[in-house]
Amino acid sequence: MNIHIFKNKKSLDEAVSRLLIEQVNKHPKSVLGLATGSTPLGIYKQLMDDHKRHKTSYQDVVTINLDEYVGLDKNSPASYQSFMKVNLFDALDINPKNTFIPDGETKDLDAACQAYDDIMKKHPIDIQLLGIGSNGHIGFNEPNTPFDSETHIIELALKTRTDNAVHFKSLDDVPTQAITMGIKSITNSKRILLVATGANKAQAVKGMIFGEIDPILPASVLQTHPNVDVFLDYQAASLILSSK
Ligand code: PGA
């Protein structure tokens, strides 16, 4: 794992977006694995600004998102479909047909999981952008998800629902289940960029880097991947800096 520590979020966002832009310029048919949540917002803003200023084209890029809530209307502002449209896709020249997000609304969730695995087999991910939950989850793979999991339905941990309640009217409105790429699906990516900011991620970050490789902390699996870059601000890095 290569660890990069930044003094502020802006310089971190610039560094990560530069890598993504370089990838797309060098390989216009890249497959990007994308994340939602607060963490990638600044990175997506940089991508949108760059597209406007330098015309980096996403016409042939394929994107595959990590996860989606189960049972939430796609058009709800809290859905990850809406998140991606508003915070990235609508401002790029990307073909909506090339943007994939798991279907959490369908009645046949098993078929939706299988369909998502098929999409990733057809479009292996070149670079996967990842956040980390305060409980160490990646995607919505909560603690104790098997490392060999593919796309599946997961019961969201109370910690995750509480962390994400800010995007809903109340905790009761946060869905209890999600459809998520599995841990194997994530580690199949050729390269992984994990981003963590803020003090509430410091414990999970320390476990991911120095802890045992154990499903109790899903992000610890990244120690086994040959091509992972971790981008941290000082707050998220605070416990690894103090343990040196
Ligand atoms: P956040 O979520 O970016 O909203 O902190 C990260 C995650 O849960 O993976």
Side-chain angles (χ1 to χ4, degrees):
M1 267 187 201
N2 305 308
I3 316 291
H4 313 268
I5 300 174
F6 295 82
K7 65 175 186 303
N8 58 48
K9 175 94 167 70
K10 184 151 188 286
S11 49
L12 182 158
D13 290 339
E14 281 169 1
V16 177
S17 57
R18 213 176 298 127
L19 288 174
L20 293 171
I21 292 163
E22 260 173 38
Q23 170 75 25
V24 170
N25 280 324
K26 265 197 216 150
H27 306 284
K29 293 187 173 172
S30 289
V31 180
L32 304 180
L34 297 181
T36 49
S38 320
T39 306
L41 281 174
I43 297 165
Y44 293 160
K45 178 150 191 334
Q46 296 282 337
L47 298 186
M48 293 189 283
D49 287 351
D50 164 78
H51 173 68
K52 211 168 167 185
R53 295 207 345 249
H54 302 119
K55 307 275 172 269
T56 301
S57 178
Y58 293 79
Q59 246 164 13
D60 295 323
V61 167
V62 171
T63 65
I64 305 187
N65 265 74
L66 286 164
D67 45 22
E68 177 60 285
Y69 293 107
V70 165
L72 189 63
D73 180 345
K74 279 189 188 64
N75 300 314
S76 148
S79 80
Y80 290 159
Q81 284 275 355
S82 299
F83 177 100
M84 291 308 299
K85 268 175 75 62
V86 171
N87 294 300
L88 188 64
F89 295 154
D90 282 355
L92 303 180
D93 60 344
I94 198 160
N95 180 349
K97 286 199 179 114
N98 291 340
T99 66
F100 298 99
I101 299 179
D103 184 355
E105 262 196 307
T106 175
K107 287 211 169 66
D108 194 346
L109 289 165
D110 284 345
C113 292
Q114 185 58 54
Y116 216 60
D117 287 335
D118 292 345
I119 288 165
M120 284 183 282
K121 281 189 187 105
K122 186 164 172 210
H123 304 286
I125 295 172
D126 294 304
I127 295 195
Q128 175 67 56
L129 183 62
L130 274 186
I132 181 171
S134 59
N135 64 357
H137 74 206
I138 47 175
F140 269 139
N141 292 286
E142 301 287 23
N144 292 318
T145 303
F147 283 167
D148 63 358
S149 50
E150 297 188 278
T151 306
H152 60 284
I153 305 301
I154 186 107
E155 293 293 321
L156 293 173
L158 181 58
K159 182 100 181 76
T160 299
R161 294 182 61 239
T162 309
D163 285 348
N164 290 3
V166 286
H167 304 292
F168 293 84
K169 280 205 196 99
S170 72
L171 178 59
D172 284 346
D173 291 324
V174 183
T176 55
Q177 290 186 320
I179 174 168
T180 182
M181 257 188 216
I183 294 187
K184 187 164 130 201
S185 332
I186 292 173
T187 52
N188 276 344
S189 311
K190 292 177 200 140
R191 183 174 188 192
I192 292 175
L193 311 179
L194 183 136
V195 181
T197 57
N200 69 324
K201 303 291 173 70
Q203 193 67 47
V205 164
K206 184 179 174 187
M208 167 179 74
I209 297 171
F210 293 120
E212 266 184 49
I213 302 169
D214 190 301
I216 192 76
L217 193 95
S220 65
V221 76
L222 300 180
Q223 293 178 35
T224 66
H225 191 284
N227 199 358
V228 177
D229 286 273
V230 176
F231 298 83
L232 307 171
D233 66 359
Y234 280 161
Q235 286 77 22
S238 58
L239 294 178
I240 63 170
L241 291 171
S242 64
S243 65
K244 270 191 179 164

